[in-house]
C-alpha cells in the first residue's frame, strides 16, 4: 500500500507545525502569512451562478459545457492577447495542482524521461515527476538544459515563490528552443493577473509563439484572481495535439469539474470588475507588509508579481521563521521551494486587512 507514497518527499508543511503553535500562542493571536489561500468573499455574481446551477443531478462532461469553453476561449483572447483560439485549444481541469501533480503520468512519462522546472519552484512539479517515476532536475536558464530525453519543461511566470516575471524576450527564446529540440513546454501562469511592478505575458501571446500553439500549453487558475480556491477551478489552453489525448485520458479517469463549478467559472471569466476590486485589496496589503518588513531589516527580492513577498535577513530561513513566530507571524521557509531558498522566506499577503495591519504593528 505504501509503494506510491514511498516515491514522495516528506510533506513540507508538516515541518511548520511547532512554529505555528508558537505563533498561535501570541497574546494577539496568529497572523498566518504562510499559505497563499484567499480569505476574501467569493464575488456575489459567482455565488449566484453556482446557486442557480445547484440542481445538477446528471454527470458533467470532462470537456465542460460549450458555454464554459466559450468563456475560456473568450477570456484567453481578451486577456492574454491570444488569437484564433477554438474549443479544441482549451480543457477545463480540477484545479491546477491536480494537473501539475498528474501531468507527467498522463503524458505517459516514466523512468529515463526527464522533467525540468525552475531552481526555485512550487514543490508539486517535483511531486509530479516522482509519481511518474520520471527523472527531474532544476534549471536557472532552461535553454542551457541538455534536451536529450527532456520530455516536459515547466515555466512559471509569475513565479511562486519569488514573484519573478519572465520578459517577453525570455519567453520567446525559450519557446523557440523547446520547439527546436522537440520538448513539450507547459507554462504555469496562475498568477498572471497579479502583476505589480511588471506586466506578465503569456506564452499564448502571438509575440511569444509566432502565432502558433505547437508544443506549448498554458495553465490558468481561478483560485487567486476570483477567490475560488475552494471551487477547484482551472483550465489549460494551447496545443490541441496535446490537449486531445489528455481529454481522452481524463474522460477515462472521471476528472470532471462539477456542473455548478462550471457555471461559476463562466460568470467569473465574463467579469473583470471583481478582479480589479480584489487586486486593489491585495495591492494595499502588499504595500503595507513590504514597508513593515523592510523597516524590520528585511530585503525584498523580485516580488514584482504574485501574492507573495520574497524576503531575506541573510540568515537561515528557519531562523527567520522562528523569529517571526515569536511575534505571532507565520511565514513559509524558502527551502520548501528548493535549496536556493535556504536564506529566504515567502510572505503571503492573503490575510485579512485586520490581520495584515496586526502584522505591520508587530513588525514595527
Amino acid at each position: 500500500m505504501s509503494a506510491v507514497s514511498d516515491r514522495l518527499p516528506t510533506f513540507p508543511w508538516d515541518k511548520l507545525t511547532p512554529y505555528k503553535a508558537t505563533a498561535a500562542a501570541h497574546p494577539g493571536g496568529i497572523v498566518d502569512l504562510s499559505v497563499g489561500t484567499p480569505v476574501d468573499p467569493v464575488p456575489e455574481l459567482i455565488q449566484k451562478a453556482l446557486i442557480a446551477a445547484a440542481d445538477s443531478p446528471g454527470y458533467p462532461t470532462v470537456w465542460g459545457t460549450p458555454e464554459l469553453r466559450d468563456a475560456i476561449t473568450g477570456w484567453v483572447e481578451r486577456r492574454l492577447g491570444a488569437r484564433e483560439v477554438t474549443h479544441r485549444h482549451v480543457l477545463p481541469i480540477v484545479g491546477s495542482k491536480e494537473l501539475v501533480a498528474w501531468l507527467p503520468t498522463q503524458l505517459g512519462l516514466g523512468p529515463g524521461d526527464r522533467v525540468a522546472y525552475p531552481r526555485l519552484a512550487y514543490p508539486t512539479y517535483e511531486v509530479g515527476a516522482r509519481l511518474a517515476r520520471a527523472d527531474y532536475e532544476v534549471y536557472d536558464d532552461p535553454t542551457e538544459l541538455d534536451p536529450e530525453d527532456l520530455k516536459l519543461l515547466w515555466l512559471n511566470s509569475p513565479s511562486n515563490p519569488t514573484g519573478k516575471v519572465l520578459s517577453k524576450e525570455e519567453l520567446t527564446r525559450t519557446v523557440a528552443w523547446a520547439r527546436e529540440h522537440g520538448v513539450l513546454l507547459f507554462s504555469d501562469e496562475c498568477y498572471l493577473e497579479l502583476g505589480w511592478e511588471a506586466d506578465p505575458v503569456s506564452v499564448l501571446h502571438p509575440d511569444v509563439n509566432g502565432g502558433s500553439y505547437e508544443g506549448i500549453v498554458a495553465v490558468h487558475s481561478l483560485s487567486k484572481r476570483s477567490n475560488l480556491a475552494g471551487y477547484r477551478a482551472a483550465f489549460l489552453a494551447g496545443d490541441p495535439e496535446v490537449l486531445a489525448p489528455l481529454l481522452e485520458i481524463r474522460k477515462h479517469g472521471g476528472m470532471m469539474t462539477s456542473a455548478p463549478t462550471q457555471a461559476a467559472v463562466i460568470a467569473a471569466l465574463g467579469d473583470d470588475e471583481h478582479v480589479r476590486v480584489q487586486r486593489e485589496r491585495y495591492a494595499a496589503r502588499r504595500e503595507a507588509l513590504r514597508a513593515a518588513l523592510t523597516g524590520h531589516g528585511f530585503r525584498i527580492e523580485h516580488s514584482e508579481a504574485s501574492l507573495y513577498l520574497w524576503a531575506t535577513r541573510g540568515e537561515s530561513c528557519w531562523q527567520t521563521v522562528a523569529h517571526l513566530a515569536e511575534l505571532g507571524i507565520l511565514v513559509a521557509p524558502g527551502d520548501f521551494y528548493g535549496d536556493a531558498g535556504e536564506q529566504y522566506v515567502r510572505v503571503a499577503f492573503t490575510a485579512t486587512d485586520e490581520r495584515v495591519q496586526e502584522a505591520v504593528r508587530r513588525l514595527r
Side-chain angles (χ1 to χ4, degrees):
M1 290 297 292
S2 65
V4 175
S5 62
D6 285 347
R7 301 177 204 169
L8 302 178
T10 302
F11 189 64
W13 295 96
D14 292 344
K15 300 177 185 178
L16 266 184
T17 300
Y19 301 94
K20 186 172 185 178
T22 298
H26 190 280
I30 188 173
V31 179
D32 193 344
L33 307 178
S34 63
V35 182
T37 187
V39 297
D40 299 303
V42 173
E44 187 176 358
L45 84 161
I46 300 175
Q47 293 191 48
K48 287 181 176 178
L50 183 86
I51 293 167
D55 186 15
S56 298
Y59 289 111
T61 65
V62 172
W63 203 18
T65 62
E67 293 78 14
L68 174 60
R69 299 196 297 273
D70 281 343
I72 295 172
T73 57
W75 183 86
V76 166
E77 291 190 341
R78 184 181 80 252
R79 180 61 184 85
L80 305 183
R83 297 290 180 267
E84 299 180 2
V85 181
T86 72
H87 287 194
R88 294 175 57 247
H89 292 90
V90 301
L91 177 62
I93 53 177
V94 191
S96 57
K97 184 170 186 176
E98 167 262 305
L99 183 280
V100 173
W102 292 107
L103 179 64
T105 298
Q106 292 175 6
L107 291 173
L109 305 190
D113 295 325
R114 292 164 51 231
V115 176
Y117 49 86
R119 186 169 302 280
L120 282 165
Y122 186 44
T124 313
Y125 303 132
E126 177 186 333
V127 167
R130 284 175 174 256
L131 286 170
R133 298 182 186 269
D135 298 326
Y136 52 90
E137 61 188 277
V138 299
Y139 64 77
D140 295 306
D141 180 345
T143 66
E144 295 179 355
L145 289 164
D146 179 356
E148 176 138 7
D149 298 322
L150 180 60
K151 298 299 176 64
L152 175 60
L153 172 63
W154 279 107
L155 300 185
N156 179 209
S157 176
S159 163
N160 175 15
T162 69
K164 181 179 179 181
V165 174
L166 296 176
S167 68
K168 186 182 292 185
E169 292 71 26
E170 289 174 299
L171 291 171
T172 301
R173 179 168 58 90
T174 304
V175 167
W177 179 88
R179 285 176 172 165
E180 178 186 353
H181 296 287
V183 176
L184 177 60
L185 186 154
F186 266 67
S187 180
D188 182 346
E189 302 175 352
C190 290
Y191 295 90
L192 186 136
E193 293 203 281
L194 295 164
W196 311 110
E197 297 161 7
D199 187 13
V201 179
S202 172
V203 295
L204 302 180
H205 195 286
D207 288 353
V208 172
N209 60 43
S212 167
Y213 302 114
E214 178 187 356
I216 58 173
V217 177
V219 184
H220 283 271
S221 168
L222 285 89
S223 295
K224 316 301 184 183
R225 73 181 294 277
S226 299
N227 299 339
L228 295 189
Y231 285 45
R232 309 315 302 133
F235 61 87
L236 304 178
D239 191 342
E241 298 302 317
V242 177
L243 299 186
L246 286 179
L247 173 59
E248 292 304 312
I249 292 166
R250 296 170 71 82
K251 284 179 180 178
H252 284 289
M255 302 174 107
M256 41 195 160
T257 306
S258 75
T261 297
Q262 291 187 32
V265 171
I266 293 168
L269 292 178
D271 177 72
D272 294 331
E273 176 61 16
H274 77 276
V275 180
R276 184 193 64 78
V277 170
Q278 189 60 46
R279 274 182 54 88
E280 289 184 354
R281 292 190 186 115
Y282 285 142
R285 294 167 186 166
R286 175 182 183 271
E287 192 58 36
L289 280 171
R290 186 181 188 111
L293 286 167
T294 55
H296 196 74
F298 281 89
R299 184 176 77 253
I300 308 297
E301 293 189 3
H302 296 301
S303 307
E304 57 258 33
S306 82
L307 290 176
Y308 314 106
L309 294 168
W310 188 238
T312 181
R313 297 204 308 170
E315 63 188 11
S316 161
C317 60
W318 289 101
Q319 192 173 340
T320 304
V321 167
H323 167 72
L324 291 175
E326 291 294 335
L327 299 178
I329 301 169
L330 188 68
V331 298
D335 65 2
F336 276 11
Y337 308 95
D339 292 342
E342 62 184 1
Q343 291 194 345
Y344 294 82
V345 292
R346 193 193 74 170
V347 184
F349 41 89
T350 52
T352 64
D353 291 341
E354 183 275 328
R355 287 287 85 187
V356 167
Q357 287 305 314
E358 178 64 14
V360 167
R361 186 188 66 78
R362 296 176 192 179
L363 289 166
R364 287 177 177 167

